[in-house]
Amino acid sequence: MRVGIPREIAQGERRVAATPDTAQKLQKLGFEVWVEADAGAASSFPDAAYRAAGCQVTHDVVELWSQSDIVLKVQAPLWHSGINQDESDLLRPGGKLISFIWPAQNPDLLEKLSQKGATAIAMDAVPRITRAQKLDALSSMANLAGYRAVIEAANQFGRGFTGQITAAGKIPPCKVLVIGAGVAGLAAIGTARGLGAVVRAFDTRPVVKEQVQSMGAEFLELHFEEDGEEGTGGYAKVMSPAFIAAEMALFAQQAQEVDVIITTALIPGKPAPRLVTQEMVEAMKPGSVIVDMAAEQGGNCELTRPHEIYDHNGVKIVGLTDLVSRMANQASQLYGTNLYHLLNELGGAEHHHLDLEDDVVRQATVVLDGEVIWPAPPLEKPATPQPAAAQSMESLPTSETQQSANPLMSLLWPVLIGAALFGVGAFAPESFISHFTVFILAIFLGWKVIWDVTPALHTPLMSVTNAISGIIIIGGMLQISGPLSSTVTILGAIAIFVSTLNISGGFFVTQRMLNMFHK
């Protein structure tokens, strides 16, 4: 199977869907890799590097699209001004496209792909679950975007982030507020802390509090019973008006104190929530910076201008939408690796197959053989299996079931045991009776000693063996009162010695285990 890597034509897009390194990995899966000339030039991957990796480099974009079984892209197909055609029209009938598609925002694109009889997999629709982490291109890109947001803020900020004490005076550290502690937010927190800033963070999901604090930042809380944990796909949900009013008051207070605000709040398929108002911006100190990472969806700041950096009364508002493309080399490597893992999950070239029973593949596939299947219908849950106990009772014959339910059967064993004990007492010799009584008491005492030991004292195994050894020592001590040459006395002494070793070893091992937890 042939995989085509076209050059990205979106304005400002510098990434490429496969690097020379990931292209080699795709070839190991059995794919033949074709790359459009200069596809990786903006990411510092020259054509010579692709040729050295075994790829076929072509200048014919129409041939690349029409002759490829699978086309890997970063951005969704657009109008190609160089050939006056839409990229989606170049895809061969029945072909496969894998890229960011954003199906909620691009219904017309889904219809075009459907008319081509194509199959489309949206990397932005990969579910954000643990099993799909290696395919999660959104997280890969968000991590880099969070890092770059802090770098852009530092570039626009009028002084350093770290605090210093110098002979010329004291320099206070920069104060940074990160709104939204998802993947991008946590990356921004880590980067700002690394530069020496004092970082505060807010999120509607209380579960991220420990993650924020573990990175050395302060977590700002609203004491509401409501939280944002019910959102789907790893995102926060839309909050109630009362909660939003409380958080806006918090942001207004913080805007007067902090030097940099970085906003990351975004819910897919919906406009970015407005969290920073004009009044908040005007309340910030001159020289402050706002980096709006949701600028492409309208922005979290009321004054954000997408694709621009501008000054509003001394506060610089960064509305760049190409933060990831500004780190194109590393971003391409990560995105290419995500695509490699996806194609590997699909069976490579030899066993290529879309298993719609796989929840990850099912949710990411938006068009299948010309049929729009987005949003993916939920998998049918298997019927709840009947409890094994109930099945076994149902499978029993009626006579057996009635027999087990008969109350007389529950008295059978006590009657038999009582009869056996009566027989022993009536017909066994007197010496046997005394030993048998000690035996029964020893069983009862051993059971009580073993099961009443607190598990916190020793491991369960050591508790049991030490208790049993203690009983053996008591028994051995009772037997060594006879002549030294007696077999019983010798065996009793051996039992005492061996049991003592066992108990001593148990306590020694326990002490070693406890020492492992000491600093």
Side-chain angles (χ1 to χ4, degrees):
M1 297 181 70
R2 179 182 295 184
V3 171
I5 312 296
R7 180 173 57 87
E8 298 295 325
I9 60 174
Q11 183 178 4
E13 183 56 72
R14 302 176 181 86
R15 290 172 290 176
V16 63
T19 67
D21 178 60
T22 62
Q24 285 184 322
K25 294 180 179 179
L26 292 176
Q27 293 174 56
K28 291 180 180 179
L29 294 178
F31 293 105
E32 179 185 352
V33 182
W34 282 53
V35 182
E36 184 182 351
D38 294 330
S43 302
S44 302
F45 297 117
D47 292 342
Y50 286 102
R51 292 190 180 97
C55 302
Q56 181 71 34
V57 179
T58 178
H59 291 268
D60 192 338
V61 60
V62 176
E63 179 187 14
L64 177 76
W65 278 84
S66 61
Q67 299 300 319
S68 296
D69 300 290
I70 303 173
V71 175
L72 303 181
K73 274 182 57 54
V74 179
Q75 297 287 356
L78 298 171
W79 178 263
H80 199 307
S81 58
I83 57 176
N84 290 322
Q85 273 188 285
D86 194 282
E87 287 182 312
S88 60
D89 295 330
L90 300 177
L91 189 67
R92 71 174 181 83
K96 185 173 295 176
L97 172 68
I98 304 177
S99 71
F100 285 108
I101 293 178
W102 307 107
Q105 290 87 2
N106 294 311
D108 294 340
L109 174 59
L110 298 185
E111 183 61 30
K112 287 182 180 180
L113 295 173
S114 175
Q115 293 175 1
K116 298 282 291 187
T119 295
I121 298 178
M123 294 303 292
D124 49 278
V126 172
R128 307 184 88 172
I129 58 177
T130 302
R131 188 169 64 85
Q133 282 184 347
K134 60 184 178 181
L135 318 176
D136 190 356
L138 283 178
S139 293
S140 300
M141 299 301 101
N143 185 46
L144 293 178
Y147 173 87
R148 186 70 190 195
V150 177
I151 301 302
E152 294 294 336
N155 184 44
Q156 299 297 327
F157 192 48
R159 54 185 175 84
F161 269 34
T162 185
Q164 297 182 19
I165 298 178
T166 70
K170 181 180 179 181
I171 301 175
C174 172
K175 295 179 181 178
V176 178
L177 171 63
V178 178
I179 301 178
V183 176
L186 291 174
I189 292 171
T191 306
R193 284 289 301 154
L195 292 176
V198 175
V199 184
R200 304 167 184 174
F202 174 83
D203 199 287
T204 59
R205 299 163 294 180
V207 70
V208 303
K209 176 180 179 180
E210 293 183 358
Q211 300 177 42
V212 169
Q213 292 176 335
S214 69
M215 302 184 74
E218 178 188 356
F219 186 73
L220 303 177
E221 292 185 85
L222 292 177
H223 298 288
F224 265 71
E225 293 183 1
E226 180 183 11
D227 62 61
E229 283 303 311
E230 296 178 7
T232 58
Y235 297 92
K237 69 173 184 179
V238 178
M239 308 303 291
S240 67
F243 189 98
I244 292 175
E247 72 175 0
M248 294 295 282
L250 175 66
F251 297 156
Q253 175 192 354
Q254 291 295 319
Q256 302 176 34
E257 301 178 10
V258 300
D259 303 299
V260 174
I261 296 179
I262 298 175
T263 66
T264 70
L266 192 62
I267 299 177
K270 298 183 180 180
R274 293 299 171 88
L275 303 177
V276 181
T277 64
Q278 180 176 345
E279 290 77 12
M280 296 180 194
V281 175
E282 294 173 350
M284 297 182 72
K285 294 172 286 188
S288 299
V289 179
I290 297 175
V291 180
D292 194 340
M293 295 182 63
E296 194 166 10
Q297 299 297 327
N300 296 136
C301 177
E302 187 177 354
L303 302 178
T304 295
R305 297 177 184 175
H307 318 296
E308 293 185 28
I309 301 176
Y310 81 103
D311 191 301
H312 180 81
N313 294 340
V315 178
K316 292 185 178 180
I317 303 175
V318 181
L320 298 175
T321 58
D322 62 345
L323 292 173
V324 179
S325 285
R326 290 171 179 248
M327 303 181 66
N329 185 281
Q330 192 172 18
S332 298
Q333 182 64 39
L334 293 178
Y335 182 65
T337 303
N338 292 140
L339 292 175
Y340 158 74
H341 285 305
L342 174 61
L343 291 175
N344 190 28
E345 286 288 317
L346 297 180
E350 186 175 352
H351 305 288
H352 191 76
H353 172 64
L354 267 68
D355 181 13
L356 295 186
E357 295 300 316
D358 185 322
D359 193 43
V360 175
V361 177
R362 186 182 186 88
Q363 292 191 47
T365 304
V366 295
V367 181
L368 179 64
D369 297 329
E371 179 186 357
V372 177
I373 62 172
W374 185 88
L379 289 172
E380 294 183 3
K381 296 182 179 181
T384 304
Q386 195 173 14
Q391 292 179 356
S392 61
M393 288 298 294
E394 291 176 0
S395 62
L396 288 175
T398 307
S399 58
E400 292 184 22
T401 306
Q402 292 176 350
Q403 183 180 12
S404 61
N406 192 339
L408 295 178
M409 294 299 298
S410 61
L411 299 176
L412 178 61
W413 282 108
V415 171
L416 293 177
I417 294 174
L421 293 176
F422 176 78
V424 170
F427 303 104
E430 185 178 350
S431 59
F432 177 80
I433 296 299
S434 61
H435 289 294
F436 185 73
T437 302
V438 173
F439 175 72
I440 295 298
L441 292 176
I443 292 177
F444 178 75
L445 178 62
W447 179 80
K448 288 295 294 180
V449 169
I450 291 171
W451 292 108
D452 285 353
V453 171
T454 303
L457 297 179
H458 314 289
T459 63
L461 179 61
M462 290 179 183
S463 299
V464 173
T465 56
N466 285 350
I468 294 175
S469 298
I471 296 172
I472 295 175
I473 289 178
I474 294 175
M477 292 173 63
L478 294 175
Q479 298 300 326
I480 61 175
S481 58
L484 296 178
S485 59
S486 170
T487 304
V488 175
T489 303
I490 295 174
L491 292 176
I494 294 174
I496 293 173
F497 177 73
V498 173
S499 298
T500 302
L501 289 179
N502 188 42
I503 292 176
S504 302
F507 281 109
F508 177 75
V509 172
T510 300
Q511 187 62 41
R512 290 284 300 272
M513 292 176 63
L514 293 175
N515 289 337
M516 293 172 61
F517 298 94
H518 292 165
K519 292 184 179 181

